[in-house]
Amino acid sequence: MTNELPKVYDPKASEEKLYQFWEKSGFFHAEVNPDKKPFTIVIPPPNVTGQLHMGHAFDETLQDILIRTKRMQGYEALWMPGTDHAGIATQIKVEETLRKEEGKTRYDLGREKFLERVWEWKEKFGSRIIEQLKKLGSSCDWERERFTMDEGCSKAVREVFVNLYHKGLIYKGNRIINWCPHCATALSDAEVEYETQPGHLWHIRYPLADGSGELVVATTRPETFMGDTGVAVNPNDERYRHLIGKTCILPVMNREIPIFADEYVDMEFGTGCVKVTPCHDPNDFEMGQRHNLEQILVFNEDATVNENGGKYQGMDRYECRKAVIRDLEEGGYLVKTEEHEHNVGTCYRCGTTVEPMTSAQWFVKMAPLAKPAMKVVTDGETKFVPDRFSKTYLHWMENVHDWCISRQLWWGHRIPAFYCEDCGEMVVSKEDVHVCPKCGSKNVRQEEDVLDTWFSSALWPFSTLGWPEKTKELEYFYPTSVLVTGYDIIFFWVARMIFSGVEHMGETPFDTVYIHGLVRDAQGRKMSKSLGNGIDPLEIIDQYGADALRFTLATGNSPGNDMRFSNERVEASRNFCNKIWNASRFIQMNLTIGKAELPETLALEDKWIVSKFNTLVQEVTANIDKYELGLAATKLNDFIWDNFCDWYIEIAKTRIQGKDEDVQKVLCYVLSGAMQLLHPFMPFITETIWQALPHEGESIMVSKWPEYDEALHFAAEEAQMETLMDAIRAIRNRRAEMNVPPSKKAKVIVLSGQQDTFAAGSVFFAKLAYASEIEIVPEAPADAAKMVSVVTEDAQLYMPMNELIDFEKERARLAKEKEKAEGDLAFVLKKLDNPGFVAKAPEKVVNVEREKAEKARELIAKLEASLAALG
């Protein structure tokens, strides 16, 4: 036996010590083990810039519940941890520090020196979030921790890039991309968030070149008109069919551009004539490709107008818009301006309006990769939980565009393309190229751009296990078992991991994708800096303990749905911890046994609690297997709080006082098993309690998960106990209604067809129903009219009235309540009898007063009935 549990549970006193014990003992570590079945989860790698927020806490809690369960079930459970280099986010952090502390930019340092600074920053702050994950209780295999830019992951990135390039699936091209002028880099489609913004639709007159008339074009972006190289109409639009093949004059710029037909044009929108700017709109770009239009780029990377913008050169895009509108108006080209709401793309990181621009970038051809990645989902090799997210995934993959993977940054995996400055040869290679293979020149430079950070994290399930080497870990732990992540990164990450796994490993990277929602505040709002409603999980842990936070996140969770977080819910979880602690301490203090095993003979109440626990084992295991973690947590809460603490322990107290070892064994067996089931949700308190009970093994986290046993299913005894509990509840409720204190004992007379059941459980009534004695009778007592009676499904229960109440005191109490209710009614009626109040007050206010009057009347009637019953 261990030392007695302290009077009060103090998470701060035990959590760090327990975590160190687990880590030092190697319980988190997984090895290739042919005798065990593997179960693998790869952590969604948090950014090295990151600090633990509630989204992380939610995500990691769910993963830890699964991994701890499977570890206890005998699997070789690997939870692979690591961090992401987070390209743009990290570079911005370091640039800010450099600017604030030294007044310098990265260009002042140069690429090499700047990257040295980033690595220094990573070494200093990169492990911060890992330490914070440990505070949460995350049982990751820290011996295997990886980083997306470590040597192994970098090798995998080069291998993939070069292989895809030689297959023709990576190419460099001048195509339309999303450009963030603030972050000064290209973005993939998934990194653009769309929001509806108020704007205008300007109708602009374009004169026909032959002088025979004009056409009117409607546009939301006049600031790009300097790059117009055509006007498109729908071939089926009879209004403009006669213009197809002609040319018109671009106003102000006085340039002749063609009028052509394309079915993309919506005849219902605007005027049915569309100005085509191939370099600044993705749809215009496609039309330009189809009709061989000239490409004229009019913006610089900072969204100012370049030399192709003529008189507008140097202006900011919005300044240019105003100037263009002014010039069009002065020239008589502006026909009208309409209010118009439209979808505007913004950078997911900084919120700046994205500028579609043609640019020389690197792309992944998605169509050939998307097809097999969709097949593994439609064939059920990878399942989404909930299933509705498979439709979200498939819809995106069906409509996916080529992925722009180059970024104009310095921090990240530099694209392994090498250019000869003398002959122009380009070589894509897994190894650095220093000599041109074509002309022998040593004047070779590497591509400046780096890869999108999602390119390396797309390889995470296999790069972390040693690929491209054929390691024993890769063979054993891949494909992984489940990916746990939020619905907000299905496109960013999940889709890319699936097509990468299928392409490079020949099989899906995980069997199941368990999608959870977002953590919102108590009002259902998304947590954000701007709203100031974020809650720091580390503060919650400091105040309430990690277990209370974890249990709150688990109980509020159902797959795919957002959850609301509030301190009140954490307090409820903390109260649950205290309930468990107090019950466990009471049991431990009264133990004289040395082993947690069931006795040979079980009393009625023993069979009931053992059977209920047995069912709990079956249901919680099934719920976890189906990723219904919130349901499993709720069932554990209900069983421990209600069945075990409030019923069984209370029933068992008399036997405990009599040093009955059989009841000690049952208490110990059920408590120990309940702690094992609860352990994945609340690891710290369960370990502390388990260690204080008779046990085998070093730690609860490597103990054997409880299993359902048909021999411990006692249906008849469960039904008997439910009959008794219904009767006790009914008596307690009736006494509460009558304000009878627990100290006031009363005889209970039972009329029931289940006499044996009530005889077996009669001892429970003294403690739980405050009975002075219990009498089981074959028929209703003769003076039943003078008794308080309650009815349950299986019994009629009687209590002599004079044993329950002091008639004089009760009459006085009821009379006083009635007098108050009558006074309240008179006050309300006075208002309602006032014609001025009824006429002038809002209808809602009048109705509230009428409801008050009705409730007062009902209360008076009840009080009169109670007084009449007293005689």
Side-chain angles (χ1 to χ4, degrees), residues 328-562:
L328 289 170
E329 196 167 16
E330 286 173 4
Y333 298 109
L334 187 64
V335 178
K336 65 174 178 175
T337 305
E338 295 176 338
E339 298 290 324
H340 175 71
E341 279 199 345
H342 58 137
N343 254 1
V344 175
T346 60
C347 173
Y348 83 112
R349 180 158 298 282
C350 70
T352 302
T353 298
V354 166
E355 191 58 56
M357 289 168 66
T358 48
S359 176
Q361 302 285 345
W362 290 86
F363 296 86
V364 174
K365 260 186 205 169
M366 285 302 304
L369 294 167
K371 201 170 180 181
M374 287 191 284
K375 189 174 187 297
V376 295
V377 173
T378 53
D379 289 356
E381 287 178 52
T382 291
K383 297 170 287 296
F384 278 79
V385 176
D387 180 60
R388 69 178 186 270
F389 287 104
S390 63
K391 297 177 184 66
T392 306
Y393 166 84
L394 290 168
H395 177 74
W396 190 74
M397 290 296 262
E398 281 163 6
N399 298 283
V400 73
H401 297 117
D402 285 0
W403 174 19
C404 176
I405 54 170
S406 45
R407 297 291 179 270
Q408 289 61 54
L409 304 169
W410 286 356
W411 172 245
H413 293 101
R414 199 164 170 183
I415 290 172
F418 301 84
Y419 305 91
C420 176
E421 299 284 51
D422 292 333
C423 74
E425 177 75 355
M426 184 186 82
V427 182
V428 170
S429 167
K430 294 173 189 176
E431 306 298 330
D432 285 357
V433 175
H434 301 290
V435 177
C436 174
K438 186 177 180 183
C439 72
S441 168
K442 291 184 179 179
N443 192 10
V444 174
R445 66 172 179 86
Q446 187 175 353
E447 170 70 67
E448 293 288 315
D449 290 355
V450 300
L451 287 163
D452 178 7
T453 189
W454 296 101
F455 191 93
S456 50
S457 53
L459 319 180
W460 191 246
F462 52 91
S463 66
T464 52
L465 293 168
W467 190 90
E469 307 303 322
K470 290 182 177 177
T471 65
K472 60 184 193 304
E473 283 84 2
L474 189 64
E475 188 183 347
Y476 181 71
F477 288 113
Y478 188 93
T480 66
S481 307
V482 58
L483 176 78
V484 181
T485 192
Y487 58 67
D488 52 335
I489 57 171
I490 290 175
F491 315 134
F492 282 111
W493 194 42
V494 180
R496 288 164 179 170
M497 278 192 288
I498 293 176
F499 77 66
S500 297
V502 172
E503 170 67 20
H504 305 294
M505 293 295 297
E507 55 186 327
T508 183
F510 19 72
D511 301 329
T512 304
V513 181
Y514 169 30
I515 299 288
H516 59 73
L518 305 178
V519 184
R520 297 185 178 272
D521 70 8
Q523 296 168 250
R525 301 173 303 174
K526 191 173 178 180
M527 292 185 180
S528 68
K529 284 181 183 174
S530 57
L531 287 174
N533 62 343
I535 298 171
D536 185 348
L538 295 167
E539 286 181 13
I540 297 290
I541 290 170
D542 188 57
Q543 190 174 354
Y544 299 102
D547 288 330
L549 172 62
R550 289 169 63 111
F551 202 69
T552 302
L553 293 168
T555 47
N557 158 61
S558 60
N561 294 330
D562 292 348

Side-chain angles (χ1 to χ4, degrees), residues 97 166 319 456 495 605 699 729 867:
T97 306
H166 288 311
E319 184 188 351
S456 50
E605 64 269 28
S699 166
R729 282 190 202 99
L867 280 163

Side-chain angles (χ1 to χ4, degrees), residues 823-837:
D824 291 344
L825 178 61
F827 180 75
V828 173
L829 289 176
K830 192 177 178 182
K831 274 191 191 178
L832 292 171
D833 289 342
N834 180 350
F837 171 75

Side-chain angles (χ1 to χ4, degrees), residues 2-15:
T2 58
N3 294 330
E4 187 180 305
L5 291 169
K7 192 172 183 181
V8 176
Y9 177 57
D10 178 12
K12 286 182 185 174
S14 58
E15 287 183 352

